[in-house]
């Protein structure tokens, strides 16, 4: 693979990742709450390394869409903003997972 | 985790550079969260007890330029795009300063000419001028960014963290200065409330000392306002002495106090000087007859001088609030 092809592949992989990122982020916020950096680490431990420039604005956007709710914790060593799925976020997440699984089945059947 | 002063000031400069580019409505909250996340990242990757300026530079270099960081928080189609916003802000600041200067100049002329009642229409004109200016600039920039190919932020935009100058904070006054200011205000409050009847001079037409008050009815009417201003100043100095650092509320408080000072000075200039100080009674005395007219001019001159200096102080405070934030880091 030459350099141009490699760059193109990188970009396509990035796009693929970006499309699935919302599901990944929401999945980590269904049961427990996370602040920005702890979520970044949680995703990284599970093999999904994403840039903080992508994650933090995404959390804000999901909150604006009422999929997440947040609170400031000022009792710890430094103030942190914790996020978790809202009730409407949980419903939408479930529907999103169903759509994702169905899409996965379709793609699998196509590439086999 | 500790930070050297240089490292902390550098981080504050970085955050300030990002903050200036964030969407106005939520920038405080965004920068608060960003600060918290940055400190978490910084501390998780450092093994040393203290973060130095060099470590901070390396970290910020990897983290990305303020423009790149702020870009992610902007909606795709803001009224004025992030690329144009610094230029918009610069032009707005310059034109507002010019308009404010013209207003002050016209205000001074109006006071000199004794047109006290003309101040309100002048304030109205200033408000209308500022509104038109803002509207015209927003429309111009909106059109500019639609028709001129915008200057985009590249992903690989060159960024040199070492070029960031550490943010120097304005030092709070020394405790002793704050205490002196509190004591002085307390003395003035006592004089103006309990002992104002003792502020007299002696008219001695026939060998008998007849005590005549120095303060005129205009000044007496302003005493409650002056006392409130002095008391608020005492509270401000006390908080500053206890906290020993400037915060946003303290800076806004200082600005409000200075605006009150300007208001009081303008009120003291409304009407003839005799209304505030009894130069007229002084003039009746043979020994003061020649001095009283000069004192009237001195009174007006000093107040005008204070008005100009206080207005400059306001401009400087606003400039500092724009260019230098108060300490925000929780470290």
């Amino acid at each position: 693979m030459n350099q141009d092809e490699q760059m193109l592949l990188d970009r396509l992989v990035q796009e693929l990742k970006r499309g699935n990122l919302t599901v990944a982020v929401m999945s980590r916020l269904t049961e427990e709450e996370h602040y920005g950096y702890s979520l970044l680490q949680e995703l990284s431990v599970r093999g999904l390394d994403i840039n903080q420039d992508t994650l933090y604005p995404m959390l804000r956007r999901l909150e604006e869409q009422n999929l997440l709710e947040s609170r400031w914790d000022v009792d710890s060593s430094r103030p942190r903003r914790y996020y978790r799925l809202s009730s409407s976020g949980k419903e939408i997440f479930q529907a999103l997972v169903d759509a994702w699984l169905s899409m996965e089945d379709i793609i699998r059947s196509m590439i086999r | 985790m500790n930070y050297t002063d240089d490292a902390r000031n550098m981080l504050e400069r970085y955050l300030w550079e990002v903050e200036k580019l964030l969407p106005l409505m939520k920038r405080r909250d965004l920068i608060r969260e960003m600060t918290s996340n940055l400190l978490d990242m910084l501390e998780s990757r450092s093994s040393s007890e203290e973060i130095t300026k060099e470590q901070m530079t390396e970290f910020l270099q990897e983290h990305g330029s303020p423009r790149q960081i702020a870009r992610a928080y902007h909606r795709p189609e803001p009224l004025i795009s992030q690329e144009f916003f610094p230029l918009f802000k610069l032009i707005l600041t310059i034109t507002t300063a010019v308009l404010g200067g013209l207003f002050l100049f016209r205000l001074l002329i109006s006071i000199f000419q004794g047109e006290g009642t003309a101040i309100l229409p002048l304030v109205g004109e200033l408000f209308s001028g500022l509104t038109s200016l803002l509207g015209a600039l927003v429309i111009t920039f909106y059109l500019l960014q639609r028709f001129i190919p915008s200057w985009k932020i590249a992903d690989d935009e060159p960024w040199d963290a070492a070029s960031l100058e550490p943010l120097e904070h304005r030092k709070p006054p020394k405790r002793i200065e704050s205490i002196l200011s509190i004591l002085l205000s307390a003395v003035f409050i006592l004089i103006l409330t309990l002992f104002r009847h003792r502020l007299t001079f002696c008219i001695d037409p026939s060998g008998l000392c007849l005590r005549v008050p120095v303060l005129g009815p205009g000044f007496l009417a302003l005493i409650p306002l002056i006392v409130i201003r002095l008391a608020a100043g005492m509270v401000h100095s006390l908080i500053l002495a206890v906290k020993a650092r400037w915060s946003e509320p303290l800076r806004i408080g200082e600005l409000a106090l200075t605006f009150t000072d300007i208001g009081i000075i303008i009120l003291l200039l409304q009407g003839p000087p005799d209304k505030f100080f009894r130069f007229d009674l002084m003039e009746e005395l043979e020994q003061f007859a020649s001095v009283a007219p000069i004192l009237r001019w001195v009174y007006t001159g000093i107040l005008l001088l204070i008005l100009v200096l206080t207005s400059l102080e306001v401009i400087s405070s606003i400039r500092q609030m724009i260019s230098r934030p108060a300490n925000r880091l929780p470290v």
Side-chain angles (χ1 to χ4, degrees), chain A residues 37 64 78 80-81 83, chain B residues 26 29 33 40 43-44:
Chain A
Y37 185 62
E64 280 172 19
R78 76 170 56 99
R80 288 192 173 106
R81 193 185 182 101
Y83 295 89
Chain B
K26 46 189 176 182
D29 194 48
E33 186 179 12
D40 278 330
E43 290 174 14
S44 71

Side-chain angles (χ1 to χ4, degrees), chain B residues 69-131:
Chain B
I69 299 297
R71 177 180 60 170
Y73 289 92
H74 279 267
R75 289 182 184 284
E77 289 291 325
L79 198 57
I80 293 170
S81 68
Q82 187 201 352
E83 293 85 8
F84 275 94
F85 192 72
L87 184 63
F88 169 78
K89 202 171 143 190
L90 178 71
I91 294 180
L92 185 65
T93 310
I94 293 170
T95 44
T96 308
V98 170
L99 208 64
L102 284 174
F103 166 75
L104 202 63
F105 182 68
R106 286 190 60 187
L107 182 69
L108 289 179
I109 289 178
S110 140
I111 290 169
F112 257 125
Q113 292 173 342
E115 297 169 5
T117 49
I119 290 176
L120 273 181
L122 264 182
V123 174
E125 271 180 45
L126 176 73
F127 179 74
S128 128
L130 284 176
T131 318

Side-chain angles (χ1 to χ4, degrees), chain B residues 43 91 101 124 186 194 200 226 255-256 265 286 313:
Chain B
E43 290 174 14
I91 294 180
L194 300 178
T200 58
I226 297 173
L255 203 59
I265 296 166
E286 206 176 303
E313 199 183 315

Side-chain angles (χ1 to χ4, degrees), chain A residues 35-38 40-41 52-54 56-57 59-60 64 72 74 77-81 83, chain B residues 3 26 29-30 32-33 35-37 39-41 43-44 63 68-69 72-73 75 330-331:
Chain A
Y35 56 92
Y37 185 62
S38 72
L40 205 65
Q41 282 181 312
Q52 31 100 18
D53 297 354
T54 310
Y56 300 153
L59 291 172
R60 290 289 179 146
E64 280 172 19
W72 274 103
V74 289
S77 59
R78 76 170 56 99
R80 288 192 173 106
R81 193 185 182 101
Y83 295 89
Chain B
Y3 296 77
K26 46 189 176 182
D29 194 48
L30 283 175
R32 190 178 177 208
E33 186 179 12
T35 306
S36 170
N37 287 331
L39 292 174
D40 278 330
M41 287 174 79
E43 290 174 14
S44 71
H63 195 253
Q68 281 174 327
I69 299 297
Y73 289 92
R75 289 182 184 284
V331 291

Side-chain angles (χ1 to χ4, degrees), chain B residues 168-174 177 240 244-246 320 324:
Chain B
E168 293 293 335
H169 288 296
R170 179 177 161 200
K171 289 188 171 58
K174 289 180 183 151
E177 288 171 12
L240 194 54
R245 61 188 250 167
W246 285 99
Q320 280 216 357
R324 292 179 183 182

